Amino acid sequence: MFHILVVEDDKNTRKLMAAVLTQNGYEPILASDGLEALEILDKKHVDLIVLDIMMPRMDGYQFTEELRASGNELPILMVTAKEKPADKKRGFLIGTDDYMTKPVDEEEMILRIAALLRRSRIVNEHQMTVGGTVLHYDELSVCAGGKTQELPKKEFLLLYKLLSYPGKIFTRRQLMDEIWDMESESDERTVDVHVNRLRDRFRGNPDFEIVTVRGLGYKAVKKE
């Protein structure tokens, strides 16, 4: 069972998140602020952190900075009422892995937690398997049908991102923010170029395809 540390100063929100996590097979561990969360991490095993930003004593930004400075790479899902792009950008720059704004959609939260745990496990194992296709994280390579291809870094990360969340639609902006430098001067057409290259490389792949969702962006679909 995965242990999820919920760091949230609002008691009712904490209890609600704990109930949702329990219903979905996770073991919740609760903390009311960043300092309490750090104390818990010294004593208990944690697989993922759901983190509020606005908290007394130590807020979510400070907590994330301290955690990453210590070399701890636990996946963090930041949940906050702050909706400004600058707040989201700051969260990603200091090391959060994903971001949701309140009020939180409970089903989406569970899907994001599952995806982050899957990605974390993939990074630890240094590979991802989708049917007969294997992505090797360290070599930035993909083995399919007995053939191994080494991909440019951005192409590999884009494919890795889409396959980590099968069926989830990503906008071009979301993909730009997470895979390209947020200060990059590249525009969103860069994503289209990289998707087309991936489609050319893996045309006819029996395990997955990258689908365009008109007006929205892209998603990876696993084939049966």
Side-chain angles (χ1 to χ4, degrees), residues 100-136:
M100 293 185 72
T101 54
K102 296 178 179 178
V104 169
D105 180 285
E106 296 168 8
E107 183 178 359
E108 182 181 357
M109 182 182 76
I110 293 299
L111 289 171
R112 286 176 181 258
I113 286 172
L116 285 172
L117 288 169
R118 185 166 58 249
R119 286 169 56 191
S120 176
R121 191 165 63 249
I122 289 163
V123 171
N124 290 336
E125 295 175 355
H126 301 280
Q127 70 179 39
M128 180 201 307
T129 302
V130 180
T133 301
V134 182
L135 284 72
H136 295 281

Side-chain angles (χ1 to χ4, degrees), residues 58-70:
M58 177 182 282
D59 67 20
Y61 292 135
Q62 294 169 309
F63 172 82
T64 301
E65 287 174 331
E66 185 151 337
L67 199 67
R68 296 302 187 231
S70 70

